[in-house]
Amino acid sequence: MDAARTVDAVWKFESAKIIAGLTRLVHDVGLAEELAQDALVAALEQWPESGVPDNPGAWLMTIAKRRAIDHLRRSQRLQPLPEDGREPGAAGSSGSLDPSAPADADPDDVLRLMFLSCHPVLPTTHRVALTLRLLGGLTADEIARAFLVTEQTVTQRIADAKRLLAAEQVAFDLPAGPELAERLSSVLGVVYLIFNEGYSATSGDDLMRPGLVQEALRLGRLLAELASSEAEVHGLVALMEIQASRSAARTGPSGEPVQLHEQNRGRWDQLLIRRGFQAMLRARAAGGTPGPYMLQAAIAVTHAQARGADETDWARIAALYDLLVRLLPTPVVHLNRAVAVAMAYGPAAGLDLVDPLLSDPALRDYHLLPSVRGDLLERLGRHAEARVEFTRAAALTRNAAEREFLLKRADAVDPGHPPQHETLGRAARRFLASQDLTPATVRSYTQTLTRLRRSLGDRLPLADLTPAHVARVFTTTWQGAAPSTWNRHRATVRSFSAWLGGEDLAALLPRRHDEPRVHSPVDDTILDDLQDLPLRERTLWHLLRESGAPVTTVLALNVEDLDLDDRTAVGGVSWRKHTARLLPALIAGRPSGPLFLTDRRAGPGATDVCPHTGRKRLSYERAEYLFKRASGGLTLSSLRRRAGQKSRIVINVGR
């Protein structure tokens, strides 16, 4: 192995301990990483000639500590230290360094670093990037390739994460008492998110990204060593070990997915299974009431104990899901429970649990819901319906391998499907093409019909489309929308029905009446109560509150319109500290394009699209809906700015 590869291997193994130890000394995780990088550069320069030291980690730590001392001395010469005797304890604040402090990191330092990088103050994407950077030793390019984003985006996320930790003065310490459970949950969530992105990639061409799986396993094992008394930590490790054991059997010769019951269990990694069993024993030995990860691990253990798919104890798995759904009553857990019930007690029993989930807004675009439903319908012999569900699932997934697999299932389940039958997708396209409509009306009609097609499937036979189908889509999508929004989509459905010349598909959709709009300023603390929400929404709301600018003006802003240093933008928009802290993370390194973006990529031919993300500008209607839902019915107009004793409405209230 050449010197450069040796240095790289040593860095990946030692970097977390070095950065953690330096953070304890200098109280600044950003500075600690810079000092560690300086030591890495020194190793690249010196080791090829002098050879690799006997203890490379201690060598790197010693060099980094010397750099830290030099940095502090330079700082002392340029600016006197505070004389109030205050001990800086925040990870984002610069502090004093004791040159006599030991060079070796305290064993708990790495655990402290893990809690720091996964702190709830950071957006989830930033937690993941910072964790992989500081604890995984991955470069920005490696992280970007793993998550299919640009290197610039990852670099910006890491920089913003460090800046947020500094601004919030997050302490480099181990939480205690009630805070420990919350902080540990955040750490476990980040590790499992990394694992899941590797195990079932959400986008791209490949079903799996093994590098992320291995990194999550390494982080989980490390966490289990550092927090050995926490049962949920061992439960997560057990879950990941057993799931990872199936990796070789999860794909076929062409990279296509292989379902669990069809996998060759001889290809399951027995070493990983044994490690999973051992982690589960440690979780049980730690005591306490089983948590979500322990219950999921128990489900994985039950699968691993079966010699074949037909010997799986599905009744036990269904019972475990009954327990899990009480602790973690999320729609996805309910869906997984339905699968277990179907396997234990028949597809009809499973379908009875799946169908109510069709009205859950959280699963509106979750491709596994129609995939599961299609599987159950196929087992019940309802092949035409199953075909529609598999096709809809294929349209919703962003993973190419999974999309191809689902389309093949759709074609295989109902090969005799008459191609001449009119479908919802074809009818919607013909309707839009046949109408003499203004561009604004086309956009409005397209929005409604696109939602119907995504929710019900392009291949749904038009003869099977009923008012009940349409009402379900409206309930999951626009139940909380303003009356004007609801009525606009309802009008589109009525026009579409009239064009079809059949049943009124809007028959179950009553027209809503607008309530008189009362605009009153919100309490000054309202935004303080809405912190645990997505970065985009928080930034928009703070910007509206601090600038006093109309919503239309703020939503029309482009990234290139901003002067972050001066806290101003075109159109006389200006802001204060809360917005200034959030904007860099929102922009994430984008040099141009709309400031506020939608959640999904735009379709072909769309206008006003960000050239770096492919997403459209956030609409007024969507922004209004999000704020009403989060604030309990308040409108964006309530985010007006007060000046002294006077207040004025600064929003251009539209439809």
Side-chain angles (χ1 to χ4, degrees), residues 152-205:
Q152 183 183 30
T153 296
V154 171
T155 301
Q156 189 66 48
R157 286 176 183 173
I158 293 171
D160 291 339
K162 294 174 185 176
R163 187 161 45 246
L164 279 170
L165 291 173
E168 297 293 332
Q169 296 187 331
V170 176
F172 185 68
D173 59 12
L174 294 177
E179 186 185 4
L180 176 61
E182 177 189 353
R183 295 283 299 280
L184 183 61
S185 174
S186 178
V187 174
L188 296 176
V190 168
V191 174
Y192 197 38
L193 189 152
I194 294 170
F195 178 85
N196 278 330
E197 184 59 33
Y199 191 70
S200 296
T202 55
S203 59
D205 296 330

Side-chain angles (χ1 to χ4, degrees), residues 636-654:
L636 285 172
S637 61
S638 60
L639 291 172
R640 64 188 186 184
R641 183 176 57 183
R642 297 178 182 179
Q645 299 299 318
K646 298 179 180 179
S647 63
R648 59 188 180 89
I649 295 179
V650 294
I651 187 169
N652 179 18
V653 179

Side-chain angles (χ1 to χ4, degrees), residues 227-235 279-289 294:
S228 58
S229 62
E230 298 292 336
E232 277 290 84
V233 173
H234 297 296
M280 193 61 177
L281 290 174
R282 286 192 288 271
R284 289 171 178 164
T289 303
M294 276 192 68

Side-chain angles (χ1 to χ4, degrees), residues 571-586:
V573 178
S574 62
W575 54 88
R576 298 196 293 275
K577 64 177 182 179
H578 289 99
T579 306
R581 179 170 59 84
L582 295 169
L583 273 175
L586 177 73

Side-chain angles (χ1 to χ4, degrees), residues 281-528:
L281 290 174
R282 286 192 288 271
R284 289 171 178 164
T289 303
Y293 291 110
M294 276 192 68
L295 289 174
Q296 291 177 81
I299 293 169
V301 166
T302 306
H303 280 297
Q305 288 173 331
R307 288 180 295 181
D310 56 343
E311 298 181 26
T312 302
D313 188 350
W314 281 107
R316 171 175 167 75
I317 291 175
L320 287 168
Y321 269 115
D322 288 341
L323 296 175
L324 180 61
V325 82
R326 296 175 193 170
L327 292 179
L328 203 66
T330 66
V332 172
V333 174
H334 278 285
L335 179 61
N336 289 336
R337 173 174 171 263
V339 172
V341 169
M343 297 300 293
Y345 306 111
L351 193 62
D352 287 342
L353 297 176
V354 168
D355 282 349
L357 298 176
L358 295 172
S359 300
D360 194 315
L363 297 180
R364 186 180 65 190
D365 291 327
Y366 186 55
H367 74 282
L368 290 182
L369 175 58
S371 176
V372 167
R373 193 166 186 272
D375 185 72
L376 297 178
L377 290 168
E378 180 184 10
R379 290 167 58 189
L380 289 169
R382 295 160 60 177
H383 299 299
E385 295 173 81
R387 176 187 174 90
V388 170
E389 292 298 291
F390 286 134
T391 304
R392 187 164 76 90
L396 291 174
T397 183
R398 292 184 291 149
N399 183 279
E402 207 160 15
R403 183 183 305 112
E404 184 176 355
F405 169 74
L406 288 166
L407 288 174
K408 286 181 178 178
R409 288 204 70 182
D411 292 336
V413 72
D414 191 20
H417 180 78
Q420 68 272 19
H421 279 185
E422 180 70 298
T423 63
L424 173 59
R426 282 201 294 265
R429 288 191 292 270
R430 290 199 301 112
F431 167 68
L432 291 172
S434 66
Q435 304 297 297
D436 184 16
L437 306 172
T438 66
T441 304
V442 169
R443 285 196 298 272
S444 178
Y445 279 12
T446 299
Q447 184 183 25
T448 308
L449 294 175
T450 297
R451 171 44 56 193
L452 289 176
R453 291 165 59 187
R454 284 180 66 85
S455 297
L456 301 174
D458 259 3
R459 295 192 189 182
L460 176 68
L462 205 57
D464 295 341
L465 179 61
T466 67
H469 284 112
V470 176
R472 190 187 75 211
V473 175
F474 268 62
T475 299
T476 58
T477 308
W478 297 300
Q479 182 63 37
S484 58
T485 301
W486 172 280
N487 292 336
R488 174 168 59 84
H489 292 298
R490 175 180 177 271
T492 300
V493 172
R494 297 193 68 188
S495 297
F496 184 48
S497 300
W499 179 80
L500 292 173
E503 183 180 15
D504 181 9
L505 296 173
L508 300 179
L509 304 175
R511 179 177 175 79
R512 292 183 174 179
H513 300 287
D514 284 311
E515 297 291 336
R517 299 194 178 190
V518 179
H519 302 295
S520 58
V522 298
D523 184 82
D524 285 332
T525 63
I526 183 64
L527 295 184
D528 295 334

Side-chain angles (χ1 to χ4, degrees), residues 19-337:
I19 295 171
L22 289 171
T23 303
R24 172 167 52 89
L25 296 175
V26 302
H27 306 286
D28 185 333
V29 69
L31 175 59
E33 192 197 2
E34 291 177 13
L35 297 170
Q37 289 286 341
D38 288 345
L40 177 65
V41 172
L44 288 169
E45 293 173 346
Q46 297 179 34
W47 290 5
E49 296 183 5
S50 62
V52 179
D54 294 335
N55 190 335
W59 189 97
L60 288 168
M61 185 65 186
T62 300
I63 296 298
K65 185 184 175 186
R66 289 174 182 169
R67 297 286 199 275
I69 295 171
D70 291 342
H71 172 85
L72 180 62
R73 286 171 177 165
R74 285 195 299 270
S75 299
Q76 288 174 328
R77 286 195 297 268
L78 293 173
Q79 183 176 357
L81 292 175
E83 298 178 357
D84 57 7
R86 182 180 57 191
E87 283 291 332
S93 61
S94 186
S96 61
L97 173 64
D98 179 7
S100 64
D104 295 333
D106 184 303
D108 283 341
D109 282 346
V110 176
L111 184 58
R112 292 187 180 97
L113 184 63
M114 194 172 286
F115 276 105
L116 184 69
S117 65
C118 298
H119 197 283
V121 74
L122 302 176
T124 301
T125 53
H126 294 51
R127 295 181 212 173
V128 170
L130 191 63
T131 299
L132 290 173
R133 175 69 168 176
L134 300 182
L135 291 136
L138 274 64
T139 65
D141 178 60
E142 289 171 327
I143 300 170
R145 282 188 278 110
F147 284 90
L148 302 186
V149 295
T150 65
E151 182 177 357
Q152 183 183 30
T153 296
V154 171
T155 301
Q156 189 66 48
R157 286 176 183 173
I158 293 171
D160 291 339
K162 294 174 185 176
R163 187 161 45 246
L164 279 170
L165 291 173
E168 297 293 332
Q169 296 187 331
V170 176
F172 185 68
D173 59 12
L174 294 177
E179 186 185 4
L180 176 61
E182 177 189 353
R183 295 283 299 280
L184 183 61
S185 174
S186 178
V187 174
L188 296 176
V190 168
V191 174
Y192 197 38
L193 189 152
I194 294 170
F195 178 85
N196 278 330
E197 184 59 33
Y199 191 70
S200 296
T202 55
S203 59
D205 296 330
D206 300 320
L207 183 69
M208 297 181 65
R209 297 181 192 141
L212 285 179
V213 171
Q214 293 304 316
E215 189 55 40
L217 283 171
R218 190 183 72 80
L219 289 172
R221 293 164 185 163
L222 175 63
L223 184 59
E225 292 177 9
L226 299 172
S228 58
S229 62
E230 298 292 336
E232 277 290 84
V233 173
H234 297 296
L236 174 61
V237 172
L239 174 61
M240 294 192 300
E241 299 277 15
I242 296 173
Q243 285 186 322
S245 72
R246 309 172 195 153
S247 296
R250 291 187 66 235
T251 55
S254 303
E256 70 278 11
V258 178
Q259 298 182 92
L260 180 62
H261 67 277
E262 297 177 341
Q263 290 175 12
N264 177 2
R265 300 196 174 204
R267 300 187 67 195
W268 287 9
D269 189 322
Q270 294 302 311
L271 174 60
L272 289 177
I273 290 176
R274 286 195 297 273
R275 295 185 72 155
F277 286 176
Q278 291 167 0
M280 193 61 177
L281 290 174
R282 286 192 288 271
R284 289 171 178 164
T289 303
Y293 291 110
M294 276 192 68
L295 289 174
Q296 291 177 81
I299 293 169
V301 166
T302 306
H303 280 297
Q305 288 173 331
R307 288 180 295 181
D310 56 343
E311 298 181 26
T312 302
D313 188 350
W314 281 107
R316 171 175 167 75
I317 291 175
L320 287 168
Y321 269 115
D322 288 341
L323 296 175
L324 180 61
V325 82
R326 296 175 193 170
L327 292 179
L328 203 66
T330 66
V332 172
V333 174
H334 278 285
L335 179 61
N336 289 336
R337 173 174 171 263

